[in-house]
Amino acid sequence: MPRFVTVAVWMILLAYPAAAQGDHAKKKDAAKKKGEAKPQAAASDVDASEPVAMPAPVTTAHESRYHSLKYRATAGTLPLQKEDGTKRADVFYVAYERADVTDSTQRPLTFVFNGGPGSSSVWLHLGTVGPRRVQTADDGHPLPPPGRVIDNEETWLDFTDLVFVDPVGTGYSRPAKGHKQKEFSGLKEDTESVGEFIRLYTTRAKRWSSPKFLAGESYGTTRAASLADHLQQRYGFYLSGVVLISSVLNFQTIRADTGNDLPSVLFLPGYTATAFYHGRLEKELQSDLKTTLAQAERFAIETYLPALAKGDTLEASERAAVLKGLARFTGLSETYLAQSNLRVRLSRFAKELLRDQGKTVGRLDSRFLGRDRDHTGGNYEYDPAMAAIRGPFSAALESYIRGELKYECDRTYEIMTGKVHPWSFKSHENRYVNVSENLRRAMVKNRHLKVLVTSGYFDLATPYFAADYTLSHLGLPAALRKNISVRYYEAGHMMYIHTASRQKMRKDVAGFYADASAKREQ
């Protein structure tokens, strides 16, 4: 993991190795044996102790100027309990229901969350899915602070009711007194707690007969794939559809390590898209993005991947040809690529592409530019995309919850937090996390389950080509492959902050819901 890891990385898979948790436990045991002072507890080991009483759920009435929407919004917490009735945690949510629907039991219901681990649901909530959104410039860049919300023409509320979920440790959600964050901080633990929230909310709202959907972004797609399988196995809770936004199901596709060359190959088209956007490719590749990306994809799979597979046995003539191709599709020099041993990690690419201009490109969205103090460094200091969007969303969320939703809570609303770490991947110890098998299993058992995958060309956190690779290796029967739809956008990880992409996404999602909710003859 790069040395410059910041809060932005929590948004996209700050995946602590299982070994890290093992080391932490060993240090505590060793300290006990030697009578030494205990090492400082990890954030997720700390007991819940915030003495803040949670307000009762608050329901307010609203009307949007788009889609003739009249709706109810409910903000509140739902308690998760053990079998004996003891409370384990409070889970904060905001739910929206159309007010002009006579029979909501037949209306689609969607549970929405972001990722991290450590992110609240604010990005999808106020970015594209909810009835209100943060106002930005058309290209996605922020307006002068503070952030403000406006009616969202691209909301999903006209075709599905919505429940935005903040997993334990994020938003206002916390473990109950006597319980620790680590009980919820892990792939398995998170799946089970969010799954229990979904079951309980659906039961209390009397919505078991509704077509039910999940929508997740980034690590939220990891959670969604795991949940699709878990909900079926644990509760017989079958979904109609899953929306995966900026997807990562197989961590091997994005975690570059010595011995794992797959990310080098799968990031390449994303580098090409970035170089195209900033005008760093040769003239013949600068005319049409999709045509150029098709060429980059072929080079990546047919030339680059076999070359890396040969390792030190790669012939000098082959190496020269690969260097030439890499330079052509990345905008970097052959000298730099040779010095990098044909492998350029994201942090270095982001720094090198526009080094001559003293600029860096974004990770979440490579259209965004930043400036470091030192232009000679090997890695960039911060992600300019995250720096641009966090402020407006944070201010807008705090104002919106208290002002429009009338929910007054004195807890800190954790937009993005490291308090959920270390995050346990114990079930995948000594191997890469891969929940694509969970999704495959869910789809095979529920042959009506539909999946929509949305990807941004300028996303260098969860690259579109890595998502494509994962989908093509699911091992689904041919008859079920048609249940997966993939859509692409000329924007980044949060493609919806770009007006044209948000409009296209809304159209794509609406069509997906119409198809996934349709009743079919057996």
Side-chain angles (χ1 to χ4, degrees):
M1 186 63 74
R3 295 190 300 273
F4 60 90
V5 172
T6 65
V7 70
V9 180
W10 292 328
M11 184 170 187
I12 321 295
L13 313 166
L14 181 52
Y16 282 76
Q21 293 198 46
D23 289 344
H24 180 68
K26 290 176 183 176
K27 289 177 182 177
K28 289 197 291 185
D29 291 340
K32 287 179 181 179
K33 291 178 181 178
K34 295 180 180 179
E36 300 172 354
K38 292 182 180 180
Q40 185 176 358
S44 62
D45 288 340
V46 179
D47 269 315
S49 57
E50 255 187 292
V52 178
M54 295 305 294
V58 177
T59 299
T60 49
H62 305 267
E63 186 171 355
S64 172
R65 61 194 180 112
Y66 298 116
H67 311 293
S68 302
L69 275 179
K70 293 183 179 180
Y71 60 94
R72 294 181 298 272
T74 301
T77 57
L78 200 62
L80 301 186
Q81 299 178 338
K82 296 194 293 187
E83 291 291 335
D84 63 3
T86 304
K87 187 166 74 170
R88 298 177 60 225
D90 288 310
V91 177
F92 180 72
Y93 68 93
V94 178
Y96 297 95
E97 300 174 288
R98 284 195 66 153
D100 55 354
V101 175
T102 55
D103 184 8
S104 63
T105 64
Q106 301 303 308
R107 181 169 159 77
L109 176 67
T110 304
F111 295 92
V112 188
F113 34 76
N114 277 88
S119 175
S120 68
S121 62
V122 62
W123 315 105
L124 289 176
H125 186 178
L126 295 183
T128 187
V129 180
R132 302 276 278 167
R133 69 171 178 85
V134 174
Q135 185 178 24
T136 61
D138 283 346
D139 63 1
H141 282 78
L143 300 174
R148 60 185 291 262
V149 294
I150 59 175
D151 279 343
N152 180 19
E153 187 173 4
E154 289 76 43
T155 181
W156 301 6
L157 183 56
D158 61 315
F159 52 81
T160 177
D161 289 338
L162 302 164
V163 183
F164 294 91
V165 186
D166 289 340
V168 179
T170 73
Y172 290 137
S173 301
R174 300 288 191 278
K177 189 172 180 60
H179 291 268
K180 297 179 179 180
Q181 177 60 43
K182 70 178 181 180
E183 297 173 39
F184 306 92
S185 291
L187 175 62
K188 180 176 182 291
E189 295 84 351
D190 175 79
T191 298
E192 291 175 347
S193 61
V194 176
E196 172 61 10
F197 171 88
I198 290 172
R199 180 205 67 81
L200 185 58
Y201 181 93
T202 303
T203 300
R204 291 190 177 185
K206 300 180 174 61
R207 297 299 294 270
W208 274 83
S209 61
S210 295
K212 294 172 285 294
F213 292 77
L214 302 179
E217 178 183 288
S218 194
Y219 183 83
T221 66
T222 309
R223 176 185 292 124
S226 182
L227 275 170
D229 184 32
H230 172 74
L231 289 170
Q232 286 185 188
Q233 295 197 62
R234 177 67 179 87
Y235 304 118
F237 190 110
Y238 278 45
L239 297 164
S240 296
V242 177
V243 182
L244 304 177
I245 302 165
S246 300
S247 176
V248 57
L249 307 183
N250 181 356
F251 285 31
Q252 186 180 7
T253 64
I254 67 166
R255 295 290 301 277
D257 292 305
T258 301
N260 178 28
D261 286 330
L262 195 54
S264 295
V265 176
L266 301 180
F267 273 69
L268 178 63
Y271 292 168
T272 303
T274 304
F276 178 98
Y277 183 84
H278 295 291
R280 305 297 282 196
L281 300 178
E282 57 188 55
K283 185 176 180 180
E284 68 175 271
L285 294 178
Q286 286 288 164
S287 59
D288 182 76
L289 176 61
K290 293 180 182 178
T291 300
T292 296
L293 289 179
Q295 294 181 46
E297 292 169 10
R298 284 196 300 272
F299 171 80
I301 295 298
E302 297 175 7
T303 303
Y304 189 30
L305 179 59
L308 294 184
K310 291 181 180 181
D312 295 340
T313 68
L314 184 67
E315 296 288 344
S317 59
E318 292 179 283
R319 182 182 177 85
V322 171
L323 277 172
K324 184 176 181 180
L326 283 176
R328 185 167 185 259
F329 288 115
T330 62
L332 306 182
S333 71
E334 289 187 38
T335 299
Y336 183 83
L337 292 163
Q339 292 171 341
S340 301
N341 194 26
L342 307 182
R343 300 160 177 84
V344 180
R345 295 197 180 190
L346 163 62
S347 59
R348 292 184 173 183
F349 173 82
K351 182 76 172 181
E352 183 67 19
L353 181 67
L354 300 177
R355 188 188 294 274
D356 59 342
Q357 299 177 18
K359 299 175 182 177
T360 60
V361 300
R363 177 175 180 265
L364 294 179
D365 192 323
S366 60
R367 298 175 303 137
F368 287 70
L369 298 177
R371 282 188 178 273
D372 294 342
R373 179 182 182 87
D374 180 359
H375 301 326
T376 65
N379 302 312
Y380 66 163
E381 294 176 5
Y382 68 99
D383 179 3
M386 173 53 79
I389 64 176
R390 182 169 182 176
F393 274 78
S394 298
L397 186 282
E398 294 282 1
S399 175
Y400 177 65
I401 287 182
R402 279 183 173 266
E404 296 189 26
L405 300 187
K406 310 300 181 185
Y407 189 82
E408 298 189 7
C409 177
D410 290 337
R411 278 184 176 172
T412 300
Y413 187 90
E414 298 288 356
I415 298 273
M416 297 273 296
T417 180
K419 292 181 179 180
V420 303
H421 296 296
W423 193 263
S424 173
F425 290 104
K426 187 175 182 180
S427 59
H428 289 76
E429 195 167 4
N430 296 323
R431 59 193 174 103
Y432 289 100
V433 173
N434 186 356
V435 295
S436 64
E437 173 60 15
N438 300 67
L439 183 62
R440 184 205 66 83
R441 193 159 53 221
M443 295 182 71
V444 169
K445 293 180 180 179
N446 174 11
R447 62 188 179 89
H448 298 294
L449 176 60
K450 300 295 182 70
V451 177
L452 173 65
V453 180
T454 68
S455 298
Y457 288 132
F458 306 119
D459 178 1
L460 295 185
T462 57
Y464 83 90
F465 200 50
D468 290 352
Y469 178 91
T470 300
L471 295 175
S472 68
H473 288 76
L474 282 178
L476 284 172
L480 291 181
R481 291 176 202 159
K482 64 184 180 181
N483 284 3
I484 299 178
S485 305
V486 184
R487 299 292 182 267
Y488 305 94
Y489 307 89
E490 293 188 27
H493 191 73
M494 300 163 173
M495 67 284 294
Y496 44 81
I497 64 173
H498 177 238
T499 298
S501 295
R502 185 175 62 253
Q503 292 170 343
K504 180 178 183 296
M505 184 178 179
R506 144 81 193 196
K507 183 178 180 180
D508 293 337
V509 173
F512 171 76
Y513 269 74
D515 178 57
S517 301
K519 294 182 179 180
R520 295 172 176 82
E521 297 295 331
Q522 298 297 317

